[in-house]
Amino acid sequence: NLDFYSSSFSFWKKKRYIGHDFRFPLPFNNNSFQGAYSEHVMEHLYFDESKFLLKEIYRILKKRAVFRCTVPSLDFYIDYKKHKKNKKNKYFSRFETQCDAIRDLTCNYGHLNVWDKLTLKRELQSAGFKNVKVQSFLKGKNKNLLKDDIKKTHQTIYLEGVK
């Protein structure tokens, strides 16, 4: 498991993980893994850095391996009124305007980038992934990659591609 954060962040410590700066090549050989999962990572990189990371993930996957990628969906923030009306969705109910919702996505949480389904699909395909499809919470081709955080479902899009 790779993560942005080093072990110096005691509140973030995980067992068996490597701190890594995703702007640089991944520390693995080509064609090493049966699958890869990225949850809410791409929005923390600038767009070109995200594209580089997608190519790196493609490089380290074996043929026919699945990559599952989740990010906050710009579409949800643009259509925040639809989600605000959903009484179960307390997250979007706090925004008075569309601007408030988009500001939250773009200016908070260390986000440097935004994604929608079409853009993420295009960039997965550009990195070499085939059969790129929108999935849903805990639904996908590789059960070992279904690690989705239920606390983020209100804002997340799920896409998978195959090497």
Side-chain angles (χ1 to χ4, degrees), residues 67-130:
F67 172 50
R68 182 174 181 84
C69 186
T70 76
V71 293
S73 174
L74 177 62
D75 296 324
F76 292 179
Y77 288 79
I78 289 172
D79 195 14
Y80 85 100
K81 286 183 181 178
K82 171 183 166 188
H83 301 285
K84 186 175 181 171
K85 289 178 184 175
N86 179 349
K87 300 296 181 199
K88 294 178 186 174
N89 193 331
K90 293 180 183 177
Y91 182 79
F92 283 98
S93 67
R94 66 189 181 155
F95 304 124
E96 290 184 36
T97 67
Q98 181 181 34
C99 181
D100 291 339
I102 292 173
R103 182 184 309 105
D104 187 67
L105 174 65
T106 60
C107 297
N108 293 332
Y109 320 109
H111 292 176
L112 301 172
N113 187 357
V114 294
W115 295 91
D116 63 7
K117 290 176 196 170
L118 294 176
T119 305
L120 185 55
K121 181 176 182 175
R122 180 192 71 208
E123 295 308 323
L124 284 166
Q125 290 171 329
S126 178
F129 291 98
K130 308 290 183 216

